[in-house]
mmCIF file of all heavy atoms in Angstrom:
data_model
loop_
_atom_site.group_PDB
_atom_site.id
_atom_site.type_symbol
_atom_site.label_atom_id
_atom_site.label_comp_id
_atom_site.label_asym_id
_atom_site.label_seq_id
_atom_site.Cartn_x
_atom_site.Cartn_y
_atom_site.Cartn_z
ATOM 1 N N THR A 58 -8.901 -5.569 5.167
ATOM 2 C CA THR A 58 -10.241 -6.092 4.898
ATOM 3 C C THR A 58 -11.198 -5.019 4.384
ATOM 4 O O THR A 58 -12.329 -5.326 4.035
ATOM 5 C CB THR A 58 -10.836 -6.727 6.165
ATOM 6 O OG1 THR A 58 -10.814 -5.761 7.228
ATOM 7 C CG2 THR A 58 -10.029 -7.933 6.597
ATOM 8 N N GLY A 59 -10.772 -3.759 4.380
ATOM 9 C CA GLY A 59 -11.607 -2.694 3.830
ATOM 10 C C GLY A 59 -12.608 -2.106 4.798
ATOM 11 O O GLY A 59 -13.591 -1.494 4.373
ATOM 12 N N ILE A 60 -12.370 -2.246 6.121
ATOM 13 C CA ILE A 60 -13.380 -1.742 7.054
ATOM 14 C C ILE A 60 -13.455 -0.219 7.064
ATOM 15 O O ILE A 60 -14.480 0.341 7.442
ATOM 16 C CB ILE A 60 -13.169 -2.272 8.487
ATOM 17 C CG1 ILE A 60 -11.888 -1.713 9.113
ATOM 18 C CG2 ILE A 60 -13.192 -3.780 8.530
ATOM 19 C CD1 ILE A 60 -11.809 -1.936 10.607
ATOM 20 N N ARG A 61 -12.376 0.466 6.661
ATOM 21 C CA ARG A 61 -12.476 1.927 6.586
ATOM 22 C C ARG A 61 -13.570 2.334 5.602
ATOM 23 O O ARG A 61 -14.331 3.269 5.844
ATOM 24 C CB ARG A 61 -11.134 2.537 6.174
ATOM 25 C CG ARG A 61 -11.155 4.073 6.149
ATOM 26 C CD ARG A 61 -9.813 4.643 5.737
ATOM 27 N NE ARG A 61 -8.763 4.365 6.694
ATOM 28 C CZ ARG A 61 -8.560 5.049 7.815
ATOM 29 N NH1 ARG A 61 -9.370 6.061 8.125
ATOM 30 N NH2 ARG A 61 -7.586 4.746 8.622
ATOM 31 N N THR A 62 -13.655 1.627 4.498
ATOM 32 C CA THR A 62 -14.691 1.904 3.507
ATOM 33 C C THR A 62 -16.054 1.440 3.993
ATOM 34 O O THR A 62 -17.047 2.176 3.907
ATOM 35 C CB THR A 62 -14.358 1.206 2.176
ATOM 36 O OG1 THR A 62 -13.043 1.592 1.759
ATOM 37 C CG2 THR A 62 -15.366 1.577 1.100
ATOM 38 N N ALA A 63 -16.128 0.220 4.522
ATOM 39 C CA ALA A 63 -17.415 -0.350 4.942
ATOM 40 C C ALA A 63 -18.042 0.447 6.081
ATOM 41 O O ALA A 63 -19.243 0.735 6.068
ATOM 42 C CB ALA A 63 -17.230 -1.809 5.354
ATOM 43 N N LEU A 64 -17.251 0.818 7.080
ATOM 44 C CA LEU A 64 -17.778 1.599 8.199
ATOM 45 C C LEU A 64 -18.207 2.986 7.735
ATOM 46 O O LEU A 64 -19.209 3.532 8.209
ATOM 47 C CB LEU A 64 -16.733 1.708 9.309
ATOM 48 C CG LEU A 64 -16.398 0.407 10.037
ATOM 49 C CD1 LEU A 64 -15.214 0.595 10.981
ATOM 50 C CD2 LEU A 64 -17.602 -0.114 10.811
ATOM 51 N N ALA A 65 -17.458 3.569 6.810
ATOM 52 C CA ALA A 65 -17.838 4.876 6.264
ATOM 53 C C ALA A 65 -19.169 4.782 5.523
ATOM 54 O O ALA A 65 -19.991 5.707 5.596
ATOM 55 C CB ALA A 65 -16.736 5.393 5.340
ATOM 56 N N GLN A 66 -19.391 3.680 4.813
ATOM 57 C CA GLN A 66 -20.684 3.492 4.143
ATOM 58 C C GLN A 66 -21.826 3.508 5.155
ATOM 59 O O GLN A 66 -22.868 4.139 4.934
ATOM 60 C CB GLN A 66 -20.704 2.159 3.388
ATOM 61 C CG GLN A 66 -19.965 2.150 2.071
ATOM 62 C CD GLN A 66 -20.048 0.785 1.408
ATOM 63 O OE1 GLN A 66 -19.185 -0.057 1.622
ATOM 64 N NE2 GLN A 66 -21.069 0.557 0.629
ATOM 65 N N ILE A 67 -21.634 2.803 6.264
ATOM 66 C CA ILE A 67 -22.683 2.693 7.286
ATOM 67 C C ILE A 67 -22.998 4.058 7.886
ATOM 68 O O ILE A 67 -24.167 4.442 8.028
ATOM 69 C CB ILE A 67 -22.235 1.702 8.377
ATOM 70 C CG1 ILE A 67 -22.183 0.277 7.802
ATOM 71 C CG2 ILE A 67 -23.166 1.750 9.582
ATOM 72 C CD1 ILE A 67 -21.518 -0.739 8.701
ATOM 73 N N VAL A 68 -21.963 4.815 8.225
ATOM 74 C CA VAL A 68 -22.166 6.129 8.834
ATOM 75 C C VAL A 68 -22.752 7.110 7.824
ATOM 76 O O VAL A 68 -23.711 7.837 8.125
ATOM 77 C CB VAL A 68 -20.843 6.669 9.405
ATOM 78 C CG1 VAL A 68 -21.030 8.091 9.939
ATOM 79 C CG2 VAL A 68 -20.334 5.762 10.517
ATOM 80 N N ALA A 69 -22.179 7.160 6.634
ATOM 81 C CA ALA A 69 -22.659 8.095 5.616
ATOM 82 C C ALA A 69 -24.113 7.807 5.258
ATOM 83 O O ALA A 69 -24.890 8.733 4.987
ATOM 84 C CB ALA A 69 -21.774 8.010 4.382
ATOM 85 N N GLU A 70 -24.497 6.540 5.271
ATOM 86 C CA GLU A 70 -25.878 6.165 4.971
ATOM 87 C C GLU A 70 -26.834 6.762 6.002
ATOM 88 O O GLU A 70 -27.845 7.392 5.648
ATOM 89 C CB GLU A 70 -26.000 4.642 4.970
ATOM 90 C CG GLU A 70 -27.340 4.107 4.534
ATOM 91 C CD GLU A 70 -27.546 4.188 3.038
ATOM 92 O OE1 GLU A 70 -26.987 3.351 2.309
ATOM 93 O OE2 GLU A 70 -28.287 5.111 2.603
ATOM 94 N N GLU A 71 -26.555 6.554 7.272
ATOM 95 C CA GLU A 71 -27.440 7.043 8.331
ATOM 96 C C GLU A 71 -27.397 8.564 8.473
ATOM 97 O O GLU A 71 -28.403 9.193 8.787
ATOM 98 C CB GLU A 71 -27.071 6.395 9.664
ATOM 99 C CG GLU A 71 -27.362 4.904 9.753
ATOM 100 C CD GLU A 71 -28.849 4.595 9.827
ATOM 101 O OE1 GLU A 71 -29.659 5.514 10.065
ATOM 102 O OE2 GLU A 71 -29.219 3.415 9.636
ATOM 103 N N LEU A 72 -26.237 9.147 8.239
ATOM 104 C CA LEU A 72 -26.061 10.582 8.455
ATOM 105 C C LEU A 72 -26.439 11.403 7.226
ATOM 106 O O LEU A 72 -26.553 12.630 7.304
ATOM 107 C CB LEU A 72 -24.601 10.858 8.848
ATOM 108 C CG LEU A 72 -24.252 12.187 9.488
ATOM 109 C CD1 LEU A 72 -25.115 12.469 10.712
ATOM 110 C CD2 LEU A 72 -22.770 12.224 9.857
ATOM 111 N N HIS A 73 -26.630 10.739 6.087
ATOM 112 C CA HIS A 73 -26.988 11.411 4.834
ATOM 113 C C HIS A 73 -25.915 12.409 4.419
ATOM 114 O O HIS A 73 -26.193 13.586 4.141
ATOM 115 C CB HIS A 73 -28.347 12.109 4.959
ATOM 116 C CG HIS A 73 -29.505 11.179 5.008
ATOM 117 N ND1 HIS A 73 -30.321 10.920 3.924
ATOM 118 C CD2 HIS A 73 -29.990 10.420 6.011
ATOM 119 C CE1 HIS A 73 -31.261 10.055 4.265
ATOM 120 N NE2 HIS A 73 -31.077 9.730 5.533
ATOM 121 N N VAL A 74 -24.667 11.925 4.377
ATOM 122 C CA VAL A 74 -23.567 12.756 3.895
ATOM 123 C C VAL A 74 -22.821 11.990 2.809
ATOM 124 O O VAL A 74 -22.821 10.757 2.804
ATOM 125 C CB VAL A 74 -22.593 13.141 5.029
ATOM 126 C CG1 VAL A 74 -23.310 13.943 6.100
ATOM 127 C CG2 VAL A 74 -21.920 11.918 5.630
ATOM 128 N N PRO A 75 -22.172 12.691 1.879
ATOM 129 C CA PRO A 75 -21.360 11.993 0.878
ATOM 130 C C PRO A 75 -20.176 11.308 1.552
ATOM 131 O O PRO A 75 -19.584 11.855 2.491
ATOM 132 C CB PRO A 75 -20.887 13.125 -0.047
ATOM 133 C CG PRO A 75 -21.783 14.289 0.245
ATOM 134 C CD PRO A 75 -22.188 14.153 1.672
ATOM 135 N N MET A 76 -19.810 10.141 1.086
ATOM 136 C CA MET A 76 -18.676 9.445 1.681
ATOM 137 C C MET A 76 -17.403 10.264 1.603
ATOM 138 O O MET A 76 -16.561 10.206 2.499
ATOM 139 C CB MET A 76 -18.474 8.086 1.011
ATOM 140 C CG MET A 76 -19.448 7.029 1.487
ATOM 141 S SD MET A 76 -19.028 5.383 0.891
ATOM 142 C CE MET A 76 -17.415 5.116 1.600
ATOM 143 N N ALA A 77 -17.256 11.049 0.535
ATOM 144 C CA ALA A 77 -16.051 11.852 0.378
ATOM 145 C C ALA A 77 -15.940 12.948 1.439
ATOM 146 O O ALA A 77 -14.852 13.476 1.673
ATOM 147 C CB ALA A 77 -16.020 12.479 -1.020
ATOM 148 N N ARG A 78 -17.066 13.284 2.087
ATOM 149 C CA ARG A 78 -17.054 14.337 3.098
ATOM 150 C C ARG A 78 -16.912 13.790 4.511
ATOM 151 O O ARG A 78 -16.856 14.548 5.482
ATOM 152 C CB ARG A 78 -18.372 15.142 3.013
ATOM 153 C CG ARG A 78 -18.563 15.927 1.724
ATOM 154 C CD ARG A 78 -17.576 17.084 1.621
ATOM 155 N NE ARG A 78 -17.609 17.933 2.801
ATOM 156 C CZ ARG A 78 -18.484 18.931 2.981
ATOM 157 N NH1 ARG A 78 -19.408 19.176 2.063
ATOM 158 N NH2 ARG A 78 -18.431 19.686 4.058
ATOM 159 N N LEU A 79 -16.848 12.480 4.655
ATOM 160 C CA LEU A 79 -16.771 11.863 5.978
ATOM 161 C C LEU A 79 -15.339 11.453 6.283
ATOM 162 O O LEU A 79 -14.712 10.735 5.511
ATOM 163 C CB LEU A 79 -17.678 10.627 6.036
ATOM 164 C CG LEU A 79 -17.665 9.849 7.355
ATOM 165 C CD1 LEU A 79 -18.301 10.670 8.473
ATOM 166 C CD2 LEU A 79 -18.392 8.516 7.196
ATOM 167 N N GLU A 80 -14.821 11.894 7.416
ATOM 168 C CA GLU A 80 -13.489 11.503 7.869
ATOM 169 C C GLU A 80 -13.639 10.321 8.821
ATOM 170 O O GLU A 80 -14.225 10.446 9.886
ATOM 171 C CB GLU A 80 -12.789 12.668 8.578
ATOM 172 C CG GLU A 80 -12.578 13.884 7.695
ATOM 173 C CD GLU A 80 -11.984 15.043 8.472
ATOM 174 O OE1 GLU A 80 -11.032 14.809 9.259
ATOM 175 O OE2 GLU A 80 -12.471 16.173 8.318
ATOM 176 N N MET A 81 -13.092 9.170 8.396
ATOM 177 C CA MET A 81 -13.196 7.951 9.200
ATOM 178 C C MET A 81 -11.891 7.771 9.967
ATOM 179 O O MET A 81 -10.829 7.613 9.368
ATOM 180 C CB MET A 81 -13.435 6.761 8.266
ATOM 181 C CG MET A 81 -13.906 5.510 8.949
ATOM 182 S SD MET A 81 -15.611 5.609 9.483
ATOM 183 C CE MET A 81 -15.437 5.049 11.170
ATOM 184 N N VAL A 82 -11.957 7.819 11.289
ATOM 185 C CA VAL A 82 -10.763 7.695 12.132
ATOM 186 C C VAL A 82 -10.792 6.328 12.804
ATOM 187 O O VAL A 82 -11.748 6.002 13.515
ATOM 188 C CB VAL A 82 -10.715 8.814 13.190
ATOM 189 C CG1 VAL A 82 -9.427 8.707 14.012
ATOM 190 C CG2 VAL A 82 -10.800 10.184 12.510
ATOM 191 N N LEU A 83 -9.739 5.544 12.602
ATOM 192 C CA LEU A 83 -9.694 4.177 13.118
ATOM 193 C C LEU A 83 -8.514 3.980 14.065
ATOM 194 O O LEU A 83 -7.411 4.466 13.814
ATOM 195 C CB LEU A 83 -9.558 3.172 11.968
ATOM 196 C CG LEU A 83 -10.648 3.152 10.903
ATOM 197 C CD1 LEU A 83 -10.301 2.126 9.828
ATOM 198 C CD2 LEU A 83 -11.995 2.848 11.514
ATOM 199 N N GLY A 84 -8.770 3.259 15.152
ATOM 200 C CA GLY A 84 -7.714 2.696 15.972
ATOM 201 C C GLY A 84 -6.744 3.641 16.643
ATOM 202 O O GLY A 84 -5.655 3.213 17.009
ATOM 203 N N HIS A 85 -7.089 4.904 16.823
ATOM 204 C CA HIS A 85 -6.164 5.827 17.479
ATOM 205 C C HIS A 85 -6.439 5.866 18.979
ATOM 206 O O HIS A 85 -7.506 6.288 19.412
ATOM 207 C CB HIS A 85 -6.288 7.241 16.886
ATOM 208 C CG HIS A 85 -5.543 7.398 15.607
ATOM 209 N ND1 HIS A 85 -4.359 8.095 15.520
ATOM 210 C CD2 HIS A 85 -5.788 6.931 14.365
ATOM 211 C CE1 HIS A 85 -3.915 8.055 14.275
ATOM 212 N NE2 HIS A 85 -4.770 7.359 13.559
ATOM 213 N N THR A 86 -5.460 5.436 19.760
ATOM 214 C CA THR A 86 -5.618 5.421 21.207
ATOM 215 C C THR A 86 -5.971 6.815 21.715
ATOM 216 O O THR A 86 -5.361 7.794 21.334
ATOM 217 C CB THR A 86 -4.311 4.945 21.869
ATOM 218 O OG1 THR A 86 -3.962 3.677 21.338
ATOM 219 C CG2 THR A 86 -4.477 4.829 23.373
ATOM 220 N N ASN A 87 -6.953 6.883 22.594
ATOM 221 C CA ASN A 87 -7.455 8.123 23.196
ATOM 222 C C ASN A 87 -8.227 9.002 22.220
ATOM 223 O O ASN A 87 -8.730 10.051 22.611
ATOM 224 C CB ASN A 87 -6.333 8.945 23.845
ATOM 225 C CG ASN A 87 -5.963 8.444 25.220
ATOM 226 O OD1 ASN A 87 -6.750 7.763 25.865
ATOM 227 N ND2 ASN A 87 -4.771 8.770 25.682
ATOM 228 N N ALA A 88 -8.327 8.612 20.961
ATOM 229 C CA ALA A 88 -9.153 9.368 20.024
ATOM 230 C C ALA A 88 -10.365 8.562 19.588
ATOM 231 O O ALA A 88 -11.380 9.127 19.212
ATOM 232 C CB ALA A 88 -8.340 9.782 18.792
ATOM 233 N N THR A 89 -10.257 7.244 19.654
ATOM 234 C CA THR A 89 -11.360 6.387 19.226
ATOM 235 C C THR A 89 -11.883 5.583 20.413
ATOM 236 O O THR A 89 -11.191 5.419 21.414
ATOM 237 C CB THR A 89 -10.905 5.422 18.122
ATOM 238 O OG1 THR A 89 -9.825 4.620 18.609
ATOM 239 C CG2 THR A 89 -10.444 6.186 16.885
ATOM 240 N N PRO A 90 -13.112 5.055 20.313
ATOM 241 C CA PRO A 90 -13.665 4.249 21.413
ATOM 242 C C PRO A 90 -12.799 3.032 21.723
ATOM 243 O O PRO A 90 -12.165 2.463 20.829
ATOM 244 C CB PRO A 90 -15.043 3.824 20.879
ATOM 245 C CG PRO A 90 -15.383 4.855 19.863
ATOM 246 C CD PRO A 90 -14.084 5.249 19.218
ATOM 247 N N ASN A 91 -12.786 2.646 22.975
ATOM 248 C CA ASN A 91 -12.012 1.496 23.427
ATOM 249 C C ASN A 91 -12.838 0.243 23.155
ATOM 250 O O ASN A 91 -13.643 -0.179 23.977
ATOM 251 C CB ASN A 91 -11.707 1.639 24.917
ATOM 252 C CG ASN A 91 -10.707 0.597 25.407
ATOM 253 O OD1 ASN A 91 -10.208 -0.205 24.643
ATOM 254 N ND2 ASN A 91 -10.411 0.628 26.687
ATOM 255 N N GLN A 92 -12.648 -0.367 21.978
ATOM 256 C CA GLN A 92 -13.479 -1.484 21.543
ATOM 257 C C GLN A 92 -12.722 -2.793 21.423
ATOM 258 O O GLN A 92 -13.195 -3.729 20.783
ATOM 259 C CB GLN A 92 -14.151 -1.126 20.210
ATOM 260 C CG GLN A 92 -15.149 0.019 20.356
ATOM 261 C CD GLN A 92 -15.696 0.512 19.036
ATOM 262 O OE1 GLN A 92 -14.958 1.005 18.193
ATOM 263 N NE2 GLN A 92 -17.003 0.374 18.847
ATOM 264 N N GLY A 93 -11.541 -2.864 22.022
ATOM 265 C CA GLY A 93 -10.811 -4.120 22.007
ATOM 266 C C GLY A 93 -10.078 -4.353 20.701
ATOM 267 O O GLY A 93 -10.005 -3.474 19.833
ATOM 268 N N PRO A 94 -9.522 -5.555 20.522
ATOM 269 C CA PRO A 94 -8.686 -5.841 19.361
ATOM 270 C C PRO A 94 -9.499 -6.021 18.087
ATOM 271 O O PRO A 94 -10.691 -6.296 18.119
ATOM 272 C CB PRO A 94 -7.991 -7.147 19.749
ATOM 273 C CG PRO A 94 -8.974 -7.817 20.665
ATOM 274 C CD PRO A 94 -9.629 -6.710 21.438
ATOM 275 N N THR A 95 -8.819 -5.845 16.955
ATOM 276 C CA THR A 95 -9.425 -6.087 15.650
ATOM 277 C C THR A 95 -9.320 -7.574 15.351
ATOM 278 O O THR A 95 -8.239 -8.089 15.100
ATOM 279 C CB THR A 95 -8.698 -5.278 14.564
ATOM 280 O OG1 THR A 95 -8.681 -3.896 14.949
ATOM 281 C CG2 THR A 95 -9.375 -5.433 13.220
ATOM 282 N N ILE A 96 -10.456 -8.269 15.398
ATOM 283 C CA ILE A 96 -10.465 -9.728 15.229
ATOM 284 C C ILE A 96 -11.577 -10.122 14.257
ATOM 285 O O ILE A 96 -12.734 -9.731 14.430
ATOM 286 C CB ILE A 96 -10.687 -10.446 16.571
ATOM 287 C CG1 ILE A 96 -9.523 -10.167 17.534
ATOM 288 C CG2 ILE A 96 -10.830 -11.946 16.364
ATOM 289 C CD1 ILE A 96 -9.728 -10.759 18.906
ATOM 290 N N ALA A 97 -11.186 -10.895 13.233
ATOM 291 C CA ALA A 97 -12.151 -11.494 12.303
ATOM 292 C C ALA A 97 -13.176 -10.469 11.826
ATOM 293 O O ALA A 97 -12.817 -9.382 11.387
ATOM 294 C CB ALA A 97 -12.816 -12.704 12.958
#
């Protein structure tokens, strides 16, 4: 669904950094927040 790109846009916008300089880490157990399953 492209959430790696969409979430990076949101963070880069607020943080004022180029998207190319932002490392977006998704879904890694014990590395990312415990936010439940990916649904809709």
Side-chain angles (χ1 to χ4, degrees):
T58 55
I60 67 166
R61 183 180 295 279
T62 306
L64 292 172
Q66 282 180 269
I67 292 169
V68 175
E70 186 76 77
E71 292 289 346
L72 197 54
H73 288 259
V74 299
M76 282 189 61
R78 294 291 307 276
L79 178 68
E80 299 175 45
M81 195 73 229
V82 183
L83 301 178
H85 279 254
T86 304
N87 279 339
T89 59
N91 190 2
Q92 294 173 297
T95 306
I96 296 176

